[in-house]
Amino acid sequence: MKYMQYFPHDVETRHVTGIMKLIEEEGASGYGFYWVLLEYLRMQDGYIGYVSALQTLGRQIKVRLPRATRVLYDYGLFVIEGERFYSPMLMEGMAPLEEKRASKKS
């Protein structure tokens, strides 16, 4: 593996308004699926993923498509652009690592 595959996990994440609503309405499985989506995005080029991956990702942890779709669309946690989506919070969290990598290349 060329780079360590990680991303920062802010311990205050569950206190973000959209996450609090997600947990209240979708429970632990919805919150877990949120983290599955972040893990998926972390592994994608530019941290941008495809909506078409929802069903496969949901099957991996036994979250049905309607719940997976709600997690992606209903809580304001992701930006959806056509068939692609990303997490502004993940991109913000990954910025220091990207800057560090860029400075090593110079």
Side-chain angles (χ1 to χ4, degrees):
M1 196 176 296
K2 187 173 180 180
Y3 295 116
M4 177 66 99
Q5 300 297 325
Y6 75 94
F7 61 93
H9 175 151
D10 184 350
V11 296
E12 296 292 319
T13 299
R14 66 186 175 86
H15 299 292
V16 171
T17 302
I19 296 289
M20 290 190 305
K21 185 176 179 189
L22 169 96
I23 294 169
E24 184 177 316
E25 294 180 5
E26 303 296 340
S29 69
Y31 188 50
F33 191 68
Y34 166 77
W35 287 105
V36 166
L37 290 174
L38 289 186
E39 291 169 356
Y40 162 72
L41 291 173
R42 171 57 182 91
M43 300 298 290
Q44 304 308 303
D45 289 336
Y47 313 117
I48 298 172
Y50 290 90
V51 174
S52 60
L54 272 186
Q55 190 162 14
T56 300
L57 294 169
R59 266 196 308 262
Q60 291 175 353
I61 65 164
K62 303 204 181 330
V63 168
R64 294 184 182 201
L65 187 57
R67 174 169 283 156
T69 301
R70 288 191 305 268
V71 170
L72 179 62
Y73 286 94
D74 291 359
Y75 299 96
L77 301 169
F78 300 96
V79 174
I80 296 96
E81 296 177 341
E83 286 300 310
R84 297 164 46 116
F85 72 99
Y86 64 91
S87 163
M89 285 179 23
L90 176 64
M91 288 189 165
E92 182 180 318
M94 293 306 297
L97 175 65
E98 293 298 330
E99 290 167 9
K100 186 176 181 179
R101 286 181 180 163
S103 71
K104 285 184 179 182
K105 288 181 182 179
S106 338

